[in-house]
Amino acid sequence: MSESDYSSDTLQDFTPEPAEARRVVVLISGNGSNLQALIDEQVHDRLGGEIVAVISNQADAYGLQRAREASIDAVALPHREYENREAYDGALIKVIERHEPDLVVLAGFMRILTPRFVQRFLGRLINIHPSLLPAYQGLHTHARALADGVAEHGCSVHYVTEELDGGPVLLQAAVEVADGETEESLKEKVHAREHLIYPIAVKWCLEGRLQFGDGGARFDGMPLPEQGLRMSHTDAAEELDEDIEDEE
């Protein structure tokens, strides 16, 4: 059939609707530096979707201001206004679902989530944790790593399951622990790596390259190992333009 067969006035006036962008809701509790890394990628059309809402359990979280400055719906939902964790998570589910997200991203959301919440968004709920999981689940990861004298630390993006910091790992970035490293200097290096890999993981989730299944996480259809995909210290340092000292 030739193009002339479609030349009616009605069809010439028709403008195809663009494919709807994949939708992201981000949950925060504080400063929102990882949120900013995601916003920056969205501004440059590299996120693979659109952040449609940022929700915080702290009304004064600076991350809400970051969202407003980016013209993203910013929602304060203070947890102290609810009688218990179950009531709060029930309200949070309603607010999130109002925005119909394809992916829910935890970016410094300092709340332990109820099983009901996790199950509602299982497979489309991710978090970033400041350690090379499964090492150092929980809090104070940098201090614990330094106390143990480890040679390598880092961060991990993982699917959220009912096991705290125990869901399938998607992507990691490593950092070598230098002689004389302090908790603050190590935290700064890990933060830089978080800002590097979290947008990548979000993009791959939105594109369907990273997927959740009964056997764990998969990348391009292939099962991932326990550590997920890992970016080495050298590769991360090069991406971040960090000085790499020659080692003996």
Side-chain angles (χ1 to χ4, degrees), residues 161-199:
T161 62
E162 292 185 33
E163 180 186 355
L164 182 64
D165 299 328
V169 175
L170 305 176
L171 189 59
Q172 295 184 329
V175 59
E176 293 174 1
V177 181
D179 293 338
E181 195 85 72
T182 67
E183 186 175 347
E184 190 58 35
S185 66
L186 187 56
K187 178 181 178 181
E188 183 177 339
K189 292 176 182 177
V190 171
H191 268 172
R193 282 154 177 77
E194 291 179 10
H195 303 161
L196 176 64
I197 68 170
Y198 214 6

Side-chain angles (χ1 to χ4, degrees), residues 13 41 82 86 88 94 108 147 200-201 210 222 241 243:
D13 292 339
E41 290 299 290
Y82 294 83
E86 287 72 21
Y88 180 78
K94 289 181 180 178
I200 295 171
L210 286 168
M222 299 296 293
D241 293 324
D243 292 330

Side-chain angles (χ1 to χ4, degrees), residues 42-63:
Q42 177 174 302
V43 167
H44 291 95
D45 200 25
R46 294 193 297 251
L47 191 62
E50 178 186 0
I51 302 170
V52 294
V54 174
I55 305 169
S56 177
N57 66 307
Q58 301 286 356
D60 60 351
Y62 181 65

Side-chain angles (χ1 to χ4, degrees), residues 132-153:
L132 296 175
L133 292 171
Y136 305 115
Q137 298 170 326
L139 301 175
H140 311 300
T141 61
H142 311 309
R144 290 157 62 195
L146 289 173
D148 287 346
V150 299
E152 191 175 59
H153 190 46

